[in-house]
Amino acid sequence: MSSLANSSLLEAENFDPLTFINSTFSTQQSLDSDLESFSATLNSEITKLDASISTSIQLQSTASKSAAVDLKQAREASVQLRRKIEDVKRKALRSEEMVKVICADIKQLDFAKRHLQTTITALKRLHMLHNAVGQLSATSAQRDFGAAALSLQATQALMEGFKDFGNVPKIKDLRYEVERVRRELSTGVFEAFEKIGNLASATANPNDFHIDDVPDNGGFTSLAQACLVVDALGKQARDKQCNTFCESQLKSYRNIFSPSAPHSGLDQIDRRFAWFRRLLKSIDERFKEVFPPHWHLQYKLCWMFLEQTSEGIMKTLEDEGNTDSENVIVIVKALQKAIMFEKEMTSRLEKDYGSSVDNTTVDPKAKYDNEMEYDEEGNEIDPRSASGIKLRYARERARRQSLSSKTGGSETDKEDHALLPLRGMLSGVFLPFMGPYCQLEKQNLEELLQKAVADTETDQRGDLPVFTSAVSLFVYMKNSIIRCTALTTGVVFFNLYKEYKAALTKYAKVLQTSKMPAPYVPVNVMAGLAAARGEEKAPPNPRTSNYRIPQGEEEMVCLAIDTCEYCVDTVEALEDLIKDKIDEGFKSNVDLMDSQDDFNDVTSIGLRILVSGLESRIDPFFKELTSTNWVNFDDVGEESIYVRNMTSTVTTFASNVQKTLPSSYYRSFCDKFAASFMTSFYSNLIKCKRFSQIATQQLLLDVYSLKKLIQNLPSVNSGNLAPSRYITDTTKEFAKIEIMLKLVGTPQELLVEVMRQQWPDGTLKDLQQVMSLRGMKRVQQTELLEAFGN
């Protein structure tokens, strides 16, 4: 079709005949001239297409016949293949049966060979076991501990292979023989240790140690070999040997430092430690090559020593007749020495073992101070005491053993050798008896508070002057924390924190009662009658009471406020220090926010005292204002005398306050005094019965001077501009007073109109007040009130 014009249109999917014809024959002339040739070409192409289609159909028909033949052949081949596979499968089954028949005899021979090998191996092991038991008996009889240890280990390893044959007579006899030898070895080893060990006890003086005094001692080399036997006998024997040896070394200690002995007092606790150091030195010199390191003999000896010492110290502290139990200095010194000894032993043992002594499954950082331990009878036990630590350790060991029995396993060597911390084992005994120590700290704080009542010295080293008593109080608390945390950071420290908190509350009370004036309560007739009848009167509220400040005493009030500010900041640092030092279990209970609130309350009361004290100083000038005859006043000049006196008094007072108070508190003082002053001035103005028009002019002049005084208060010493908000508020309040005075001087006929213009927020009551100050009669007031209401 490519020979036709516009053949692409014929191949389009959306072929349109009209579009094709119009595009092929675009004009009438082309239609007339090309139609015949186009028809001939089109017929020729149609003929070619028919021939091509016919050829394709013939080829497809031929191909279909060939495919049918191929498919038939494939089906026949698959049937033949399936028959061959089934035939092969039948032959394979027959072959497998033939192989089983052939190999049946071979398998029986193989089983027989295997059983024979097992029997031979068992006989060889039995022979080895028999020889090992004989050798073990011989070495045990000869007290050759080194060879006996090796024989015992080999015998026990061989016996494991016969654990399922316990009922076999021969095995039973050998087992009995092994147990007999074990008992003999155990007895012999313990006797050898007892003979040698006694030489290192008593005074633990190396000069008194003479090994040659013991016949048949075997020497240290045989004792070292004996330790191998103890290891071979198992953990129980090892623990027994360690405990027996340690008890023998400490036997003389119990006699020398018994409760009735002269050296058993707390003031001589260092003698106990010196004795033990000599004992360790003796043991290190004489038994250094004897005991294996994994026995941790020095640690267990130290543990037992601390345990016995704790029991002795506990009896001394519980003895009410013993003066040491109430002597704070003796207790604290003994506790310090105990802590130093525990640290010394811990450091020494860690150096010897090359690892931490705190390698234990019992968490030494647990919150034991809050969780009391209880023994089997339900009695409370101090968790930090020796008995408390021992009880936790025993329970932990029992838990692991129970878990081991359930899982079928055994405790690992690491768990067997787990070492509890020594720190707190002896020093923890003192903690329940530290009440006198806390009482002494409390007493010292009380003495500081008593001195603070009369102490007026100031510390000028900071940004603001503060009372020296506050600095001394916090310095003492810091030193007290250092002293206490060197001893303990647990419940005793928490009890001291409570004393600090109580002292801070008391000091805030000291600042309020001894550094600030008491509320001024005028005695009236009713109060006198109530006192005569014996009736109690409720104490005045310090936040709403009136105060009188003696001349020059305002600086003392300001110093008290400065000290409160210093205390608020320092209390926060004190709380952080306590939380940083105290045990984790107590941190959430440390909160000094109440103490900060106490000082903030005293600050609020101090500001109230300053405002009220200044009010009481200018009160006589207000009385002068109300006592002036403003009706007959006829001379306008400078500000009135009461204004000059008031200005001098307020300026002097504010200047003294501004020099001492922090800027934020002084601004608060100005705000409070300004609001109070304007209220008092207005109330005193309306107390005057009547003003003349000339008097209103004088009063307006006075108001201007007083407004200037109040607005200059924030910058009384600095010369800077007062805050704009403060200027706006005071201007607004003084404007009400000025408008009232202007209305008083306004002609009667214009009063209502001017009132509406200048005082749009004014009420009928305000208008009536103005008319009263004008001295208008009631009839005239009624007419104007009606006119204002309409």
Side-chain angles (χ1 to χ4, degrees):
M1 301 296 288
S2 60
S3 60
L4 296 175
N6 298 326
S7 60
S8 59
L9 295 177
L10 292 172
E11 297 173 357
E13 184 178 354
N14 52 352
F15 173 73
D16 186 6
L18 295 177
T19 302
F20 177 78
I21 293 173
N22 292 331
S23 62
T24 303
F25 304 103
S26 57
T27 61
Q28 182 67 31
Q29 292 152 356
S30 62
L31 180 64
D32 295 339
S33 59
D34 299 334
L35 180 60
E36 292 182 1
S37 61
F38 178 77
S39 297
T41 302
L42 183 61
N43 290 330
S44 175
E45 291 294 334
I46 291 172
T47 302
K48 292 180 181 179
L49 185 59
D50 290 339
S52 176
I53 292 171
S54 177
T55 302
S56 298
I57 292 173
Q58 291 176 1
L59 292 174
Q60 182 65 31
S61 176
T62 304
S64 299
K65 293 178 181 179
S66 176
V69 173
D70 294 340
L71 180 60
K72 183 177 180 182
Q73 292 176 353
R75 288 177 176 173
E76 292 176 354
S78 64
V79 171
Q80 293 177 1
L81 180 61
R82 186 178 64 181
R83 291 174 180 172
K84 290 181 180 180
I85 290 173
E86 292 176 351
D87 185 48
V88 170
K89 185 176 180 181
R90 286 193 298 270
K91 291 179 179 180
L93 292 175
R94 287 196 298 269
S95 299
E96 182 178 359
E97 292 176 357
M98 292 175 64
V99 169
K100 287 181 179 180
V101 173
I102 294 172
C103 295
D105 295 336
I106 298 176
K107 185 178 293 186
Q108 290 179 357
L109 292 175
D110 184 58
F111 286 153
K113 178 183 177 182
R114 188 181 306 171
H115 294 159
L116 183 60
Q117 288 177 343
T118 303
T119 303
I120 293 172
T121 302
L123 289 174
K124 288 182 178 180
R125 289 181 178 177
L126 181 60
H127 179 69
M128 293 171 62
L129 177 60
H130 185 272
N131 292 336
V133 172
Q135 187 177 0
L136 177 61
S137 301
T139 54
S140 175
Q142 297 171 3
R143 300 177 66 84
D144 187 355
F145 293 142
L150 297 176
S151 298
L152 181 60
Q153 292 177 351
T155 302
Q156 289 177 337
L158 291 171
M159 288 295 295
E160 286 293 322
F162 296 94
K163 62 182 180 180
D164 297 331
F165 303 95
N167 296 326
V168 177
K170 184 62 176 178
I171 302 299
K172 187 181 295 185
D173 293 340
L174 291 175
R175 188 182 299 277
Y176 287 154
E177 179 65 15
V178 171
E179 291 299 327
R180 183 189 67 77
V181 174
R182 280 174 60 91
R183 289 193 295 270
E184 287 183 358
L185 285 174
S186 177
T187 303
V189 169
F190 289 157
E191 288 177 354
F193 273 112
E194 185 177 358
K195 292 177 181 179
I196 300 300
N198 288 335
L199 296 178
S201 58
T203 60
N205 190 340
N207 297 327
D208 298 334
F209 191 92
H210 302 292
I211 194 169
D212 297 332
D213 295 343
V214 181
D216 245 356
N217 56 70
F220 282 108
T221 303
S222 77
L223 273 183
Q225 294 173 352
C227 290
L228 299 178
V229 177
V230 175
D231 271 335
L233 291 173
K235 180 180 179 300
Q236 185 176 3
R238 183 171 69 243
D239 291 342
K240 179 182 177 182
Q241 180 58 66
C242 287
N243 293 335
T244 302
F245 181 82
C246 293
E247 288 176 357
S248 67
Q249 308 311 307
L250 296 175
K251 185 177 181 180
S252 60
Y253 172 75
R254 290 192 293 270
N255 297 328
I256 297 173
F257 296 98
S258 63
S260 59
H263 305 306
S264 62
L266 295 180
D267 57 339
Q268 300 190 47
I269 193 172
D270 49 350
R271 286 178 173 266
R272 298 172 180 262
F273 302 148
W275 184 95
F276 185 73
R277 292 187 187 99
R278 291 195 301 269
L279 174 64
L280 279 186
K281 183 179 180 181
S282 173
I283 292 176
D284 288 343
E285 291 177 353
R286 305 302 181 183
F287 293 90
K288 184 176 182 180
E289 304 299 332
V290 174
F291 297 103
H294 67 272
W295 280 30
H296 301 314
L297 183 73
Q298 289 86 348
Y299 167 81
K300 294 179 180 178
L301 183 63
C302 185
W303 176 275
M304 191 173 293
F305 169 76
L306 289 175
E307 189 174 38
Q308 293 184 10
T309 305
S310 300
E311 294 174 358
I313 297 299
M314 178 70 74
K315 291 179 181 178
T316 302
L317 292 171
E318 291 178 343
D319 185 4
E320 297 180 356
N322 195 318
T323 57
D324 289 350
S325 61
E326 296 296 333
N327 192 325
V328 179
I329 297 177
V330 173
I331 292 177
V332 171
K333 286 185 176 180
L335 176 56
Q336 290 174 338
K337 293 176 181 178
I339 292 173
M340 293 301 297
F341 179 75
E342 290 171 348
K343 291 180 179 179
E344 175 192 346
M345 290 297 105
T346 299
S347 177
R348 174 175 177 172
L349 293 174
E350 287 180 347
K351 181 180 179 181
D352 292 342
Y353 297 148
S355 61
S356 174
V357 177
D358 292 343
N359 178 25
T360 171
T361 55
V362 180
D363 186 5
K365 297 182 179 179
K367 305 173 183 177
Y368 297 130
D369 281 315
N370 283 341
E371 302 172 1
M372 293 299 297
E373 291 287 347
Y374 299 89
D375 60 14
E376 299 299 332
E377 298 178 357
N379 300 319
E380 288 187 359
I381 298 178
D382 184 3
R384 288 188 176 272
S385 65
S387 55
I389 296 175
K390 185 177 180 180
L391 179 61
R392 288 199 307 276
Y393 179 68
R395 289 176 177 173
E396 179 65 16
R397 295 284 295 174
R399 183 192 66 79
R400 294 202 307 269
Q401 290 175 358
S402 175
L403 180 62
S404 174
S405 62
K406 291 180 180 179
T407 57
S410 61
E411 295 181 274
T412 64
D413 291 339
K414 181 178 178 181
E415 288 177 332
D416 287 342
H417 300 155
L419 305 180
L420 284 171
L422 298 177
R423 296 181 185 181
M425 187 175 178
L426 176 56
S427 58
V429 175
F430 291 86
L431 300 183
F433 302 92
M434 292 296 286
Y437 171 75
C438 295
Q439 190 64 30
L440 177 61
E441 293 287 357
K442 179 181 179 181
Q443 182 179 346
N444 293 336
L445 290 172
E446 292 287 351
E447 291 177 359
L448 287 176
L449 293 174
Q450 290 175 3
K451 293 179 181 179
V453 173
D455 187 9
T456 58
E457 293 184 8
T458 58
D459 190 323
Q460 305 286 340
R461 292 175 294 179
D463 296 335
L464 294 171
V466 298
F467 288 117
T468 307
S469 58
V471 179
S472 300
L473 181 64
F474 283 106
V475 169
Y476 180 84
M477 288 182 181
K478 182 179 179 181
N479 293 333
S480 175
I481 290 173
I482 294 174
R483 289 193 298 270
C484 183
T485 52
L487 303 175
T488 175
T489 56
V491 65
V492 176
F493 187 29
F494 183 70
N495 291 335
L496 272 187
Y497 147 75
K498 294 179 181 178
E499 298 298 338
Y500 301 153
K501 188 172 183 179
L504 291 171
T505 300
K506 292 178 181 179
Y507 186 69
K509 197 67 176 178
V510 167
L511 292 177
Q512 178 186 343
T513 56
S514 65
K515 310 302 179 185
M516 299 180 181
Y520 170 68
V521 182
V523 179
N524 51 37
V525 177
M526 296 302 295
L529 293 175
R533 291 193 298 266
E535 297 178 358
E536 295 184 0
K537 187 178 180 181
N541 187 347
R543 291 182 176 81
T544 58
S545 299
N546 295 322
Y547 295 86
R548 290 183 177 180
I549 303 178
Q551 198 68 30
E553 291 296 321
E554 61 269 14
E555 183 178 359
M556 186 68 69
V557 178
C558 294
L559 285 173
I561 294 176
D562 293 344
T563 303
C564 288
E565 179 71 7
Y566 165 79
C567 290
V568 168
D569 295 338
T570 313
V571 163
E572 185 176 357
L574 179 66
E575 180 179 338
D576 293 339
L577 177 62
I578 294 174
K579 286 184 176 180
D580 183 59
K581 298 290 186 180
I582 203 166
D583 286 351
E584 192 69 28
F586 294 102
K587 286 186 179 181
S588 60
N589 296 325
V590 176
D591 185 8
L592 293 178
M593 183 66 71
D594 294 341
S595 300
Q596 290 181 311
D597 293 341
D598 291 337
F599 288 110
N600 288 327
D601 290 343
V602 176
T603 299
S604 177
I605 294 172
L607 292 175
R608 169 61 189 166
I609 291 174
L610 290 175
V611 173
S612 179
L614 183 54
E615 288 176 346
S616 65
R617 289 192 184 181
I618 64 175
D619 188 60
F621 309 132
F622 279 128
K623 291 182 179 179
E624 184 180 347
L625 166 66
T626 57
S627 62
T628 302
N629 187 2
W630 297 104
V631 177
N632 299 324
F633 193 87
D634 57 0
D635 184 17
V636 178
E638 297 180 351
E639 64 269 10
S640 303
I641 296 177
Y642 80 89
V643 175
R644 289 196 293 271
N645 294 333
M646 192 178 292
T647 301
S648 176
T649 301
V650 172
T651 303
T652 302
F653 189 95
S655 178
N656 294 334
V657 171
Q658 195 273 338
K659 292 177 183 178
T660 312
L661 277 188
S663 57
S664 59
Y665 289 144
Y666 180 70
R667 170 63 193 279
S668 177
F669 162 76
C670 292
D671 291 339
K672 294 178 183 297
F673 176 72
S676 173
F677 177 84
M678 290 181 289
T679 302
S680 299
F681 185 55
Y682 180 83
S683 61
N684 280 281
L685 274 180
I686 62 178
K687 287 180 182 179
C688 300
K689 296 181 179 180
R690 185 177 177 186
F691 296 131
S692 65
Q693 291 187 354
I694 297 177
T696 58
Q697 300 300 319
Q698 180 64 47
L699 288 171
L700 285 172
L701 180 62
D702 293 344
V703 169
Y704 173 79
S705 298
L706 293 175
K707 180 172 70 174
K708 185 178 180 181
L709 167 67
I710 297 301
Q711 291 184 342
N712 288 337
L713 281 182
S715 56
V716 64
N717 286 329
S718 62
N720 299 326
L721 295 177
S724 57
R725 177 66 181 272
Y726 177 82
I727 297 295
T728 302
D729 293 342
T730 53
T731 300
K732 182 179 179 181
E733 293 300 322
F734 273 107
K736 295 180 181 179
I737 300 175
E738 293 172 343
I739 292 172
M740 184 190 70
L741 292 174
K742 289 178 181 180
L743 290 173
V744 171
T746 301
Q748 181 175 337
E749 60 275 9
L750 300 176
L751 184 58
V752 174
E753 182 179 353
V754 174
M755 177 80 174
R756 289 173 176 172
Q757 292 177 355
Q758 297 189 7
W759 202 348
D761 297 334
T763 63
L764 290 174
K765 184 177 180 180
D766 296 329
L767 178 59
Q768 188 175 10
Q769 184 66 56
V770 170
M771 292 186 295
S772 297
L773 293 176
R774 289 173 58 89
M776 295 177 59
K777 297 180 179 180
R778 186 172 298 277
V779 177
Q780 295 173 332
Q781 291 184 16
T782 303
E783 293 177 355
L784 291 181
L785 288 173
E786 292 177 355
F788 184 76
N790 296 329

